[in-house]
Amino acid sequence: MFRLDFKKYVFLSFLSLSFFSCERQNFIEDTALKLNAEGAIQLDVQPYSKAEGEEQKWHFAEKKICVIFGYNYNNDEFVNEALSLFSREYGLAEDGGLVLPLVYPKDFLHSGRARISSLKDLVSDYMLDGMIILGAPEATHRALGVIEDEFGGKKPYPVASFFPQDDMLGIESTCDLVFEKGGDISKDDMLSILMSCVEYLSSCAAPLERLSEIEHAKLLLGEKHTIKRYIDNDTGLVPENHFILE
């Protein structure tokens, strides 16, 4: 009786070990594990491939386009939508992408006070290919003038200002292109304009040359928007770089 039980025990043990060995072998094969000459497990590492729809559209950009969100365009809803578009299409500077966003007054606070004069310091660590300013606050032209002084009194890169609330003559003298509203501009229209501006400035050789200001303005905005020249109500003068966006 004992011999029979013992034989059964040995037989069942053998089956268990065989089953375990097969399972172990299958596990190793299924998980692409291999044993090296020393008997240690060797991993077959495969490079990560993005799932469909995850492909990154943008690439690392050494030079950046700075976008300043000022008056009327610094609310969370607009800024977040713009950053989402920038992040997807061009990448943000913090990730090595193209767009360097700055929100006024949040990013310009010093001791609880917003200082547009800190603009030079905020962009000093970056090489810029252009700057886009929405709703420029007071004294923006002075901050731009300080940057020009760093480059021998010349504009180091093209600057486009939309709907500024700064001194008009000052902003005209420190920006390549200035735009006023000729009617209502919807949020979606403004986002479209922003994307077009980033695309155009990133493809231009700074500073803007060769073409006239109005030709650059039309290319900057794209075909969906029309412009006409701005006429100063007080002097009747028509600045070469100032336009009304319709």
Side-chain angles (χ1 to χ4, degrees), residues 96-115:
L98 176 65
V99 179
L100 170 64
L102 296 173
V103 181
Y104 183 91
K106 182 178 69 174
D107 294 327
F108 294 81
L109 292 176
H110 288 271
S111 301
R113 296 183 60 185
R115 299 182 184 276

Side-chain angles (χ1 to χ4, degrees), residues 65-240:
I65 302 295
C66 179
V67 179
I68 301 174
F69 298 89
Y71 293 140
N72 298 321
Y73 293 96
N74 53 4
N75 62 80
D76 289 342
E77 180 184 2
F78 183 82
V79 171
N80 289 338
E81 286 197 40
L83 294 187
S84 178
L85 287 172
F86 290 152
S87 179
R88 186 182 69 207
E89 299 295 329
Y90 305 114
L92 300 179
E94 63 184 15
D95 301 318
L98 176 65
V99 179
L100 170 64
L102 296 173
V103 181
Y104 183 91
K106 182 178 69 174
D107 294 327
F108 294 81
L109 292 176
H110 288 271
S111 301
R113 296 183 60 185
R115 299 182 184 276
I116 192 66
S117 58
S118 62
L119 177 60
K120 182 179 76 71
D121 294 333
L122 290 172
V123 301
S124 61
D125 291 336
Y126 300 91
M127 291 188 293
L128 298 186
D129 251 348
M131 183 179 289
I132 303 165
I133 309 173
L134 306 181
E138 300 85 351
T140 298
H141 70 282
R142 294 177 185 171
L144 293 173
V146 171
I147 293 175
E148 287 184 10
D149 290 341
E150 291 287 310
F151 290 85
K154 297 180 180 180
K155 294 182 179 67
Y157 40 77
V159 180
S161 177
F162 289 86
F163 326 133
Q165 299 190 28
D166 191 16
D167 175 75
M168 196 57 66
L169 291 177
I171 208 73
E172 287 173 354
S173 66
T174 52
C175 294
D176 294 87
L177 301 170
V178 181
F179 298 93
E180 299 290 337
K181 282 184 180 179
D184 292 333
I185 305 292
S186 70
K187 179 185 67 177
D188 289 342
D189 280 342
M190 198 62 233
L191 290 171
S192 174
I193 289 170
L194 267 182
M195 298 295 283
S196 179
C197 288
V198 170
E199 184 73 27
Y200 184 66
L201 291 182
S202 65
S203 66
C204 288
L208 294 180
E209 294 176 345
R210 296 183 300 277
L211 301 178
S212 67
E213 286 86 350
I214 194 168
E215 289 174 310
H216 278 300
K218 290 177 179 178
L219 292 171
L220 187 85
L221 297 173
E223 298 179 354
K224 294 182 179 179
H225 307 280
T226 59
I227 57 173
K228 63 181 181 182
R229 291 195 177 277
Y230 171 85
I231 301 175
D232 189 281
N233 291 329
D234 296 326
T235 64
L237 296 176
V238 183
E240 289 294 319

